[in-house]
Amino acid sequence: MSSYRPVEGDVDSYPFANFRNLVMVAGHSIYTSSSCEKVDKEDAWFLESYQKHPGQAATFVTHIEKGVEIAATDDAALLLFSGGETRKDAGPRSEAQSYWTVAESKQWFGKRDNVRSRALTEEHARDSFENLLFSVCRFRELTGTYPQNITVVGYDFKEERFVHLHRSAIRFPEGRFLYSGTPSSQNSKEAALKGEGLVRAQFQEDPYGCLGSLRRKKLGRDPFHRSIPYPNGCPEIKGLFKYCGTAPYPGWLPWA
């Protein structure tokens, strides 16, 4: 039996109260082109030096399409693109809005009528842990409840990070958490795996990204000093947002 419990309140006051599952696409870059005909071209995106490989832009589009496809198979799913205004030189544009814009330019990959009305953004996350935590809070803001099931879309080499580290950090039930991974570009695979090993080791030591190098990296991804609204929209998990430690958060959680 599911341990999910709806939060108190008038669910009729929430614009998406009928949705119960979360599909989250984690952002990796910001779309900077003025033309929507170049979404799979590297020069249409703001890329860090480690991302500048042929085929990289196409992987972002693949993530977007995968998220749309998964949401299209589940009428109870809300699709969230997650990612903040993380790059100063890209201007005040968010990763989440970039992904939504690309989906729009692609006519939602043939699923516009089904998915567009329930595809929204979470525009404050600065790292992968915040992609998950902030999207859960955003889901609560929109639906009045917490997700019964979560599906995360990202690179296949990040599956262990999300499933075993981030999921465990928020103590979300493993049986209700899915990860849908797609490959990185062939030209960046070796570097991606090496980098992922380093980041995963950092999150193993600092699960909530609140200490040392992970905290510094996160602050560096907030060049416009955006005020983060959470946990205003999800007061039941306020303690989780404030928690900083190496052991799992010990407090009550609606889904645990």
Side-chain angles (χ1 to χ4, degrees):
M1 179 179 294
S2 171
S3 61
Y4 170 78
R5 284 180 283 178
V7 298
E8 295 180 359
D10 180 10
V11 295
D12 292 335
S13 66
Y14 293 93
F16 296 89
N18 293 328
F19 296 96
R20 294 291 174 264
N21 300 322
L22 167 62
V23 178
M24 185 273 282
V25 179
H28 291 90
S29 187
I30 295 169
Y31 187 72
T32 56
S33 175
S34 59
S35 170
C36 287
E37 298 177 359
K38 301 174 60 179
V39 296
D40 59 351
K41 305 299 182 183
E42 276 64 52
D43 60 358
W45 296 81
F46 184 87
L47 301 178
E48 299 289 0
S49 57
Y50 66 86
Q51 294 177 309
K52 293 180 178 179
H53 300 281
Q56 188 74 10
T59 67
F60 306 149
V61 179
T62 298
H63 290 160
I64 298 166
E65 183 175 9
K66 177 65 72 173
V68 170
E69 288 178 349
I70 293 171
T73 66
D74 180 4
D75 291 340
L78 197 68
L79 173 62
L80 289 181
F81 298 115
S82 172
E85 298 172 1
T86 55
R87 306 292 192 269
K88 183 177 181 180
D89 290 343
R93 321 183 208 197
S94 72
E95 296 172 357
Q97 272 292 336
S98 296
Y99 280 36
W100 194 98
T101 299
V102 169
E104 181 81 347
S105 75
K106 290 288 190 178
Q107 292 294 306
W108 300 88
F109 306 93
K111 299 173 176 60
R112 187 180 192 278
D113 292 343
N114 185 341
V115 176
R116 184 182 187 272
S117 63
R118 51 191 173 99
L120 296 102
T121 60
E122 182 295 301
E123 301 191 45
H124 296 278
R126 300 164 294 180
D127 63 17
S128 57
F129 177 67
E130 288 188 346
N131 285 139
L132 178 58
L133 178 61
F134 287 8
S135 292
V136 168
C137 187
R138 182 75 175 124
F139 187 93
R140 160 68 170 90
E141 286 184 322
L142 292 164
T143 68
T145 61
Y146 292 97
Q148 289 182 334
N149 300 285
I150 297 175
T151 300
V152 174
V153 177
Y155 288 115
D156 52 10
F157 61 82
K158 291 189 177 184
E159 180 171 359
E160 184 175 344
R161 189 202 304 189
F162 273 96
V163 174
H164 298 294
L165 298 179
H166 298 339
R167 180 199 60 77
S168 294
I170 69 170
R171 291 173 31 225
F172 197 85
E174 187 172 5
R176 295 193 274 130
F177 190 94
L178 301 173
Y179 189 89
S180 181
T182 66
S184 59
S185 69
Q186 194 61 35
N187 298 291
S188 65
K189 187 174 183 178
E190 184 176 348
L193 289 174
K194 181 178 179 180
E196 175 60 18
L198 295 173
V199 174
R200 197 160 58 234
Q202 291 175 322
F203 272 111
Q204 286 173 337
E205 295 181 0
D206 179 16
Y208 299 90
C210 56
L211 304 167
S213 59
L214 288 178
R215 181 177 183 275
R216 289 191 295 271
K217 184 189 296 185
K218 185 159 48 181
L219 294 176
R221 288 178 176 169
D222 184 22
F224 302 106
H225 286 200
R226 291 297 303 268
S227 296
I228 295 174
Y230 317 119
N232 290 343
C234 52
E236 300 81 12
I237 57 172
K238 182 178 181 180
L240 179 59
F241 274 81
K242 291 184 174 182
Y243 182 70
C244 182
T246 56
Y249 172 68
W252 176 85
L253 291 169
W255 53 80

